[in-house]
């Protein structure tokens, strides 16, 4: 699947300039509302928070956005969005063609600072590479970020299994991914129900569990068994299995998975051959990190 095509532009008989693209749907629990919650904190920098929200408004399928689109997605006033973009351009993090804005590669340095300093991402890479070599499939690690999983380490294969690019820093909905369900299973029941109430539970395929009660029961089962298989719920033909990574106190720190194509690996093979390798890698990584 290629990048989403730009929205159709309506004709404007009063101006030679092209009409603005259709506005992207607003994000649930908008950044502006989250920022507003800190009103009254004298040490909270609203301008910095708004700048970070503007950066996060850009996605793989929305790489070029207008000020109006960013304002709509974040609910931050257009004047503030304009100032944030001006600052990002001056610092080399963004660019514009005069109408739309996009991020520049320098923005990757923000994530690199984390990835180059966290023991988890650094320590996990050899394990992911080993898993990928053993199973000849892509191996991944992710943490929970908001309502999505965030890829923090990856060992890819030559073949691309999924239409979206799952490079480090990529995000996917938690409810329909194997790593997401592992991470959701680590929540208490109250937090899990709050997530299911606010999440945008869309059917990604005909197999996707997108009913809150069905997902709650499924995640309870994942919690009990300690691993998770998701079979063509994120994308047709994609099958994956995930296990948790624990910290020193026994809390779930991240999730580890292997993804494959249904034409190569059966579900029973995932459970019988892949699962022991993943569990061993998780155990060894935890031992290396925490002793």
């Amino acid at each position: 699947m290629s990048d989403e095509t730009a929205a159709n532009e309506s004709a404007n008989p009063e101006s030679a300039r092209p009409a603005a693209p259709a506005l992207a749907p607003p994000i649930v629990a908008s950044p502006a509302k989250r920022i507003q919650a800190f009103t009254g904190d004298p040490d909270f920098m609203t301008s910095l928070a708004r700048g970070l929200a503007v950066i996060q408004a850009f996605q793989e399928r929305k790489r070029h956005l207008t000020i109006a689109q960013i304002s709509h997605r974040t609910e931050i006033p257009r004047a503030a969005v304009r100032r944030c973009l001006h600052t990002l351009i001056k610092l080399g993090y963004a660019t514009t063609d005069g109408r739309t804005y996009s991020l520049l590669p320098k923005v990757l340095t923000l994530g690199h600072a984390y990835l180059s300093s966290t023991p988890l991402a650094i320590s996990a890479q050899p394990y992911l590479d080993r898993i990928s070599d053993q199973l000849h499939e892509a191996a991944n690690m992710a943490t929970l970020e908001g309502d999505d999983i965030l890829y923090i380490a990856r060992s890819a294969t030559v073949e691309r299994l999924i239409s979206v690019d799952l490079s480090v820093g990529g995000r996917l909905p938690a409810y329909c991914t194997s790593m997401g369900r592992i991470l959701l299973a680590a929540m208490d029941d109250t937090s899990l129900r709050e997530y299911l109430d606010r999440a945008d539970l869309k059917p990604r395929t005909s197999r996707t569990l997108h009913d809150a009660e069905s997902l709650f029961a499924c995640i309870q089962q994942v919690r009990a068994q300690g691993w998770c298989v998701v079979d063509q719920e994120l994308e047709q033909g994609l099958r994956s299995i995930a296990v948790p990574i624990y910290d020193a106190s026994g809390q779930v720190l991240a999730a580890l998975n292997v993804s494959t194509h249904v034409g190569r690996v059966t579900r029973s093979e995932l459970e019988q051959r892949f699962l022991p390798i993943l569990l061993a890698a998780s155990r060894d990584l935890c031992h290396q990190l925490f002793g």
Side-chain angles (χ1 to χ4, degrees), residues 179-222:
M179 289 192 289
R181 289 181 185 171
I182 287 288
L183 296 167
L184 292 173
M187 293 179 172
D188 58 57
D189 286 353
T190 300
S191 299
L192 177 57
R193 286 203 179 275
E194 288 174 354
Y195 164 81
L196 293 172
D197 285 343
R198 71 173 181 267
D200 187 13
L201 306 177
K202 293 180 179 177
R204 303 282 295 241
T205 74
S206 60
R207 292 172 170 258
T208 308
L209 277 182
H210 60 283
D211 171 73
E213 286 305 315
S214 299
L215 278 166
F216 185 82
C218 173
I219 292 167
Q220 292 277 24
Q221 181 182 354
V222 169

Coordinates of all heavy atoms in Angstrom, one line a residue, residues 179-222:
M179 N 1.7 -7.6 19.7 CA 2.5 -6.9 20.7 C 1.5 -6.0 21.5 O 1.7 -5.8 22.7 CB 3.6 -6.2 20.1 CG 4.8 -7.1 19.6 SD 6.3 -6.2 19.2 CE 5.8 -5.4 17.7
G180 N 0.6 -5.4 20.8 CA -0.3 -4.5 21.5 C -1.2 -5.2 22.5 O -1.4 -4.7 23.6
R181 N -1.6 -6.4 22.2 CA -2.4 -7.1 23.2 C -1.6 -7.6 24.3 O -2.1 -7.7 25.5 CB -3.2 -8.3 22.5 CG -4.3 -7.8 21.5 CD -5.0 -8.9 20.8 NE -6.0 -8.3 19.9 CZ -6.7 -9.0 19.0 NH1 -6.5 -10.3 19.0 NH2 -7.5 -8.4 18.2
I182 N -0.4 -7.9 24.1 CA 0.5 -8.3 25.2 C 0.7 -7.1 26.2 O 0.6 -7.2 27.4 CB 1.9 -8.7 24.7 CG1 1.9 -10.1 24.1 CG2 3.0 -8.6 25.8 CD1 1.7 -11.2 25.0
L183 N 0.8 -5.9 25.6 CA 1.0 -4.7 26.4 C -0.3 -4.3 27.1 O -0.3 -3.8 28.2 CB 1.6 -3.6 25.6 CG 3.0 -3.8 25.0 CD1 3.3 -2.8 23.9 CD2 4.0 -3.8 26.1
L184 N -1.4 -4.4 26.4 CA -2.7 -4.1 27.0 C -3.0 -5.1 28.2 O -3.7 -4.8 29.1 CB -3.8 -4.2 26.0 CG -3.8 -3.1 24.9 CD1 -4.8 -3.4 23.8 CD2 -4.0 -1.7 25.5
A185 N -2.6 -6.3 28.0 CA -2.8 -7.4 29.0 C -2.1 -7.0 30.3 O -2.5 -7.5 31.4 CB -2.4 -8.7 28.5
A186 N -1.1 -6.2 30.3 CA -0.4 -5.8 31.5 C -1.1 -4.7 32.3 O -0.7 -4.4 33.4 CB 1.0 -5.3 31.1
M187 N -2.1 -4.1 31.7 CA -2.9 -3.1 32.4 C -3.9 -3.8 33.4 O -4.2 -5.0 33.3 CB -3.8 -2.4 31.4 CG -3.1 -1.5 30.4 SD -4.4 -0.7 29.3 CE -3.3 0.5 28.5
D188 N -4.3 -3.1 34.4 CA -5.4 -3.6 35.3 C -6.7 -3.5 34.5 O -6.8 -2.8 33.5 CB -5.4 -2.8 36.6 CG -5.6 -1.3 36.5 OD1 -6.6 -0.9 35.8 OD2 -4.8 -0.6 36.9
D189 N -7.7 -4.1 35.0 CA -9.0 -4.2 34.3 C -9.6 -2.8 34.1 O -10.2 -2.5 33.0 CB -10.0 -5.1 35.0 CG -9.7 -6.5 34.9 OD1 -8.8 -6.9 34.1 OD2 -10.3 -7.3 35.6
T190 N -9.5 -1.9 35.1 CA -10.0 -0.6 34.9 C -9.4 0.2 33.8 O -10.0 0.8 33.0 CB -9.9 0.2 36.3 OG1 -10.6 -0.5 37.3 CG2 -10.5 1.6 36.1
S191 N -8.0 0.2 33.8 CA -7.3 0.9 32.7 C -7.6 0.3 31.4 O -7.7 1.0 30.4 CB -5.8 0.9 33.0 OG -5.5 1.5 34.2
L192 N -7.7 -1.0 31.3 CA -8.0 -1.7 30.1 C -9.4 -1.3 29.5 O -9.5 -1.0 28.3 CB -7.9 -3.2 30.2 CG -8.3 -4.1 29.0 CD1 -7.4 -3.7 27.8 CD2 -8.2 -5.5 29.3
R193 N -10.4 -1.2 30.4 CA -11.7 -0.8 29.9 C -11.7 0.6 29.5 O -12.4 1.0 28.5 CB -12.7 -1.1 31.1 CG -13.1 -2.5 31.3 CD -14.4 -2.7 31.9 NE -14.7 -4.1 32.1 CZ -15.3 -4.9 31.1 NH1 -15.6 -4.3 29.9 NH2 -15.6 -6.1 31.4
E194 N -11.0 1.5 30.2 CA -10.9 2.9 29.8 C -10.2 3.0 28.4 O -10.7 3.8 27.5 CB -10.0 3.7 30.8 CG -10.7 3.9 32.1 CD -9.8 4.6 33.1 OE1 -8.6 4.7 32.8 OE2 -10.3 4.9 34.2
Y195 N -9.2 2.2 28.1 CA -8.6 2.1 26.8 C -9.6 1.7 25.7 O -9.8 2.3 24.7 CB -7.4 1.2 26.8 CG -7.0 0.8 25.4 CD1 -6.2 1.7 24.6 CD2 -7.4 -0.4 24.8 CE1 -5.9 1.3 23.3 CE2 -7.1 -0.7 23.5 CZ -6.3 0.1 22.7 OH -6.0 -0.2 21.4
L196 N -10.3 0.6 26.0 CA -11.3 0.1 25.0 C -12.5 1.1 24.8 O -13.0 1.1 23.7 CB -11.8 -1.2 25.5 CG -10.8 -2.4 25.5 CD1 -11.4 -3.6 26.2 CD2 -10.3 -2.7 24.1
D197 N -12.8 1.9 25.8 CA -13.9 2.9 25.6 C -13.4 4.0 24.7 O -14.3 4.6 24.0 CB -14.3 3.4 27.0 CG -15.1 2.4 27.8 OD1 -15.6 1.4 27.2 OD2 -15.2 2.6 29.0
R198 N -12.2 4.4 24.8 CA -11.7 5.6 24.0 C -11.1 5.2 22.7 O -11.0 6.1 21.8 CB -10.8 6.4 24.9 CG -9.4 5.8 25.1 CD -8.4 6.7 25.7 NE -7.1 6.1 25.9 CZ -6.7 5.4 26.9 NH1 -7.5 5.3 28.0 NH2 -5.5 4.8 27.0
A199 N -10.6 4.0 22.5 CA -9.9 3.7 21.3 C -10.8 3.6 20.1 O -12.0 3.3 20.3 CB -9.2 2.3 21.5
D200 N -10.3 3.9 19.0 CA -11.0 3.8 17.7 C -10.9 2.4 17.2 O -10.0 2.1 16.4 CB -10.4 4.9 16.7 CG -11.3 5.0 15.5 OD1 -12.4 4.5 15.5 OD2 -10.8 5.6 14.5
L201 N -11.9 1.6 17.6 CA -11.8 0.1 17.3 C -12.4 -0.1 15.9 O -13.6 -0.5 15.7 CB -12.5 -0.7 18.3 CG -12.1 -0.4 19.8 CD1 -12.9 -1.2 20.7 CD2 -10.6 -0.7 20.0
K202 N -11.6 0.0 14.9 CA -12.0 -0.2 13.5 C -11.7 -1.6 13.0 O -10.7 -2.2 13.4 CB -11.4 0.8 12.6 CG -11.7 2.3 12.8 CD -11.0 3.1 11.8 CE -11.4 4.6 12.0 NZ -10.6 5.5 11.1
P203 N -12.6 -2.2 12.2 CA -12.2 -3.5 11.6 C -11.2 -3.3 10.5 O -11.6 -2.8 9.4 CB -13.6 -4.0 11.1 CG -14.4 -2.8 10.8 CD -13.9 -1.8 11.9
R204 N -10.0 -3.7 10.7 CA -9.0 -3.6 9.7 C -9.1 -4.7 8.6 O -8.7 -4.4 7.4 CB -7.6 -3.7 10.3 CG -7.3 -2.7 11.4 CD -7.0 -1.3 10.9 NE -5.8 -1.4 10.1 CZ -4.7 -0.6 10.4 NH1 -4.7 0.1 11.5 NH2 -3.6 -0.7 9.7
T205 N -9.6 -5.8 9.0 CA -9.9 -6.9 8.0 C -11.2 -7.5 8.5 O -11.8 -7.2 9.5 CB -8.8 -8.0 8.0 OG1 -8.9 -8.8 9.2 CG2 -7.5 -7.4 7.8
S206 N -11.7 -8.5 7.8 CA -12.9 -9.2 8.2 C -12.7 -10.0 9.5 O -13.7 -10.4 10.1 CB -13.4 -10.1 7.1 OG -12.4 -11.1 6.8
R207 N -11.5 -10.2 9.8 CA -11.2 -11.0 11.0 C -10.9 -10.2 12.3 O -10.8 -10.7 13.4 CB -9.9 -11.9 10.8 CG -10.1 -13.0 9.8 CD -8.7 -13.6 9.5 NE -8.8 -14.8 8.7 CZ -8.7 -16.0 9.2 NH1 -8.5 -16.2 10.5 NH2 -8.8 -17.1 8.4
T208 N -10.9 -8.9 12.1 CA -10.5 -8.0 13.2 C -11.5 -8.0 14.4 O -12.7 -7.8 14.2 CB -10.3 -6.6 12.8 OG1 -9.4 -6.5 11.6 CG2 -9.7 -5.7 13.9
L209 N -11.0 -8.3 15.6 CA -11.9 -8.1 16.8 C -12.0 -6.6 17.0 O -10.9 -6.0 17.3 CB -11.2 -8.8 18.0 CG -11.5 -10.3 18.2 CD1 -10.8 -10.8 19.5 CD2 -12.9 -10.7 18.2
H210 N -13.2 -6.1 16.9 CA -13.3 -4.7 17.2 C -14.5 -4.3 18.1 O -14.8 -3.2 18.3 CB -13.5 -3.9 15.9 CG -14.6 -4.3 15.0 ND1 -14.7 -5.5 14.3 CD2 -15.8 -3.7 14.9 CE1 -15.8 -5.6 13.7 NE2 -16.6 -4.5 14.0
D211 N -15.0 -5.3 18.8 CA -16.0 -5.1 19.8 C -15.3 -5.1 21.1 O -14.5 -6.0 21.5 CB -17.0 -6.3 19.7 CG -18.0 -6.2 20.9 OD1 -18.9 -5.4 21.0 OD2 -17.8 -7.1 21.8
A212 N -15.6 -4.1 21.9 CA -14.9 -3.9 23.2 C -15.0 -5.1 24.1 O -14.0 -5.5 24.7 CB -15.5 -2.6 23.9
E213 N -16.2 -5.7 24.2 CA -16.3 -6.8 25.1 C -15.5 -8.1 24.7 O -14.9 -8.8 25.4 CB -17.8 -7.2 25.3 CG -18.5 -6.2 26.2 CD -17.9 -6.0 27.6 OE1 -17.5 -7.0 28.2 OE2 -17.8 -4.9 28.0
S214 N -15.6 -8.3 23.3 CA -14.8 -9.4 22.8 C -13.3 -9.2 23.0 O -12.6 -10.1 23.3 CB -15.1 -9.6 21.3 OG -16.5 -9.8 21.1
L215 N -12.8 -8.0 22.8 CA -11.4 -7.7 23.0 C -11.0 -7.8 24.4 O -10.0 -8.3 24.8 CB -11.1 -6.2 22.5 CG -10.9 -6.1 21.0 CD1 -11.0 -4.6 20.6 CD2 -9.6 -6.7 20.6
F216 N -11.9 -7.4 25.3 CA -11.6 -7.5 26.8 C -11.4 -9.0 27.1 O -10.5 -9.3 27.8 CB -12.8 -6.9 27.6 CG -12.5 -6.9 29.1 CD1 -11.7 -5.9 29.6 CD2 -13.0 -7.9 29.9 CE1 -11.5 -5.9 31.0 CE2 -12.7 -7.9 31.3 CZ -12.0 -6.9 31.8
A217 N -12.3 -9.8 26.6 CA -12.2 -11.3 26.9 C -10.9 -11.8 26.3 O -10.2 -12.7 26.9 CB -13.4 -12.0 26.4
C218 N -10.6 -11.4 25.1 CA -9.4 -11.9 24.4 C -8.1 -11.5 25.2 O -7.2 -12.3 25.4 CB -9.4 -11.3 23.0 SG -7.8 -11.7 22.1
I219 N -8.1 -10.3 25.6 CA -6.9 -9.8 26.3 C -6.8 -10.4 27.7 O -5.7 -10.7 28.2 CB -7.0 -8.2 26.4 CG1 -6.8 -7.6 25.0 CG2 -5.9 -7.7 27.3 CD1 -7.1 -6.2 24.9
Q220 N -7.9 -10.7 28.3 CA -7.8 -11.5 29.6 C -7.2 -12.9 29.3 O -6.4 -13.3 30.2 CB -9.3 -11.7 30.1 CG -9.9 -10.4 30.6 CD -9.6 -10.0 32.0 OE1 -8.5 -10.4 32.5 NE2 -10.4 -9.2 32.6
Q221 N -7.5 -13.5 28.2 CA -6.9 -14.8 27.9 C -5.4 -14.6 27.6 O -4.6 -15.5 28.1 CB -7.6 -15.4 26.7 CG -7.0 -16.7 26.3 CD -7.7 -17.3 25.0 OE1 -8.6 -16.7 24.5 NE2 -7.2 -18.4 24.6
V222 N -5.0 -13.6 26.9 CA -3.6 -13.3 26.7 C -2.9 -13.1 28.0 O -1.8 -13.7 28.2 CB -3.4 -12.0 25.8 CG1 -2.0 -11.6 25.8 CG2 -4.0 -12.3 24.4

